[in-house]
Amino acid sequence: MARYFLALLLLANTTAKAADDDRPTPIPPPWTSEVEFGYHALGGNSDSETLNSRIGYTYVKNQYRHNAEAKFLLAEKDGDEDKRRGQLELQSDMKINERTYVLGNANYIDDRYGPYFTDFTLATGLGYQLIRRETFQMEVEAGPGYRHQEPNIDEIDDDDIVIPETVDELILRGSTKFIWKPTKNIEVNGRFTGIGGNSNSTMETELNLTTSINDHIAIKFSNTQNFNSWVPDGLKKRDSTMSINLLFKIH
């Protein structure tokens, strides 16, 4: 009886293993999303708090790729708002061959520091996968667009500096982005976006270093530089932001 029972256990184990081997490999979902959160607080002679967050969503299926990203930065010093910046960007790509795609991009910025403006751009154009390797990828994009920009005077003191004009103009937009994965747990990615118009030209550079803790949690170091070709007197043309965030990946 014991030998018969052991034989049944062995047969059941062999059958289960064979079933697992025959089971198809799970297909990854066409969408991925990311949530980032960072917080910094100082107390004592000077109290300050900084909150930055980001939500990203990507959907890829067949020849289509859709990206959505929202960012928010809030800094307070001694109980008063010191900086606030919100950004929402949407982009859809459609491949027309193995390396080339057509794109549509919409970007909205609400800036309560720097030049204090709201900025909305719509752009289209072509993108090209310049490098496509397993550990390194690079894409370039270029095309025309339209920009609407106006002063953001809500909750701003009378002595604050603002760009006084409302802008409606045609623009040229160019972007370069890359992803480098030297190891399984480390990723370096960057993006350089330039927008040229008659009233103002801007350049934004973003570099990120992500170190994975596990499949769903990572630590992300970011450095963003924003450059404006023209700002009112008394303001600097360059703004920079550095952050360390926890990154949560959802598949």
Side-chain angles (χ1 to χ4, degrees):
M1 177 65 73
R3 282 186 294 178
Y4 178 71
F5 182 68
L6 289 174
L8 285 177
L9 286 178
L10 180 61
L11 178 61
N13 182 67
T14 303
T15 304
K17 187 176 184 303
D20 289 339
D21 292 340
D22 292 339
R23 188 176 301 167
T25 302
I27 300 174
W31 61 270
T32 58
S33 58
E34 297 179 343
V35 177
E36 291 180 34
F37 180 79
Y39 179 75
H40 188 120
L42 293 176
N45 294 322
S46 178
D47 295 326
S48 66
E49 294 180 298
T50 302
L51 168 69
N52 61 83
S53 58
R54 171 186 168 270
I55 299 175
Y57 180 85
T58 301
Y59 183 87
V60 180
K61 190 171 183 180
N62 299 328
Q63 74 269 37
Y64 297 98
R65 178 177 61 182
H66 308 287
N67 292 285
E69 184 178 67
K71 298 179 181 179
F72 181 73
L73 170 68
L74 175 63
E76 293 185 351
K77 188 173 182 180
D78 296 328
D80 295 327
E81 182 178 294
D82 186 44
K83 297 179 181 180
R84 186 180 358 155
R85 190 176 195 268
Q87 182 174 1
L88 174 64
E89 183 175 10
L90 306 173
Q91 180 162 326
S92 291
D93 307 327
M94 183 184 73
K95 275 192 172 185
I96 55 179
N97 58 42
E98 286 298 318
R99 289 182 178 264
T100 309
Y101 56 92
V102 180
L103 67 94
N105 180 280
N107 191 28
Y108 175 78
I109 300 174
D110 185 0
D111 197 340
R112 298 297 179 97
Y113 73 101
Y116 291 102
F117 62 79
T118 57
D119 182 275
F120 175 72
T121 60
L122 280 174
T124 186
L126 291 176
Y128 184 76
Q129 293 182 327
L130 198 64
I131 302 175
R132 188 175 55 182
R133 297 176 182 173
E134 185 176 354
T135 59
F136 188 84
Q137 299 178 22
M138 177 178 285
E139 298 179 353
V140 293
E141 301 173 352
Y146 162 82
R147 172 164 61 191
H148 174 76
Q149 190 178 87
E150 60 185 37
N152 186 348
I153 59 176
D154 294 338
E155 302 177 12
I156 293 179
D157 295 334
D158 294 337
D159 57 349
D160 282 332
I161 304 171
V162 300
I163 295 178
E165 294 87 5
T166 296
V167 174
D168 289 285
E169 63 184 4
L170 296 177
I171 59 171
L172 289 176
R173 174 185 176 274
S175 180
T176 300
K177 48 190 174 183
F178 71 88
I179 299 176
W180 177 42
K181 296 183 178 180
T183 68
K184 180 182 178 181
N185 298 324
I186 296 178
E187 177 180 302
V188 180
N189 66 73
R191 182 180 178 186
F192 311 90
T193 302
I195 296 177
N198 289 330
S199 66
N200 193 13
S201 295
T202 62
M203 171 65 73
E204 180 179 271
T205 66
E206 181 180 351
L207 292 175
N208 304 302
L209 171 63
T210 304
T211 303
S212 298
I213 299 174
N214 55 38
D215 291 340
H216 299 286
I217 301 176
I219 298 176
K220 183 176 178 181
F221 302 85
S222 298
N223 182 282
T224 302
Q225 305 281 334
N226 291 281
F227 177 82
N228 292 274
S229 65
W230 178 86
V231 295
D233 293 337
L235 291 180
K236 296 181 180 180
K237 294 184 177 181
R238 182 177 65 88
D239 287 315
S240 63
T241 305
M242 293 191 66
S243 63
I244 302 175
N245 291 354
L246 275 179
L247 171 65
F248 302 91
K249 299 179 182 180
I250 305 171
H251 299 279

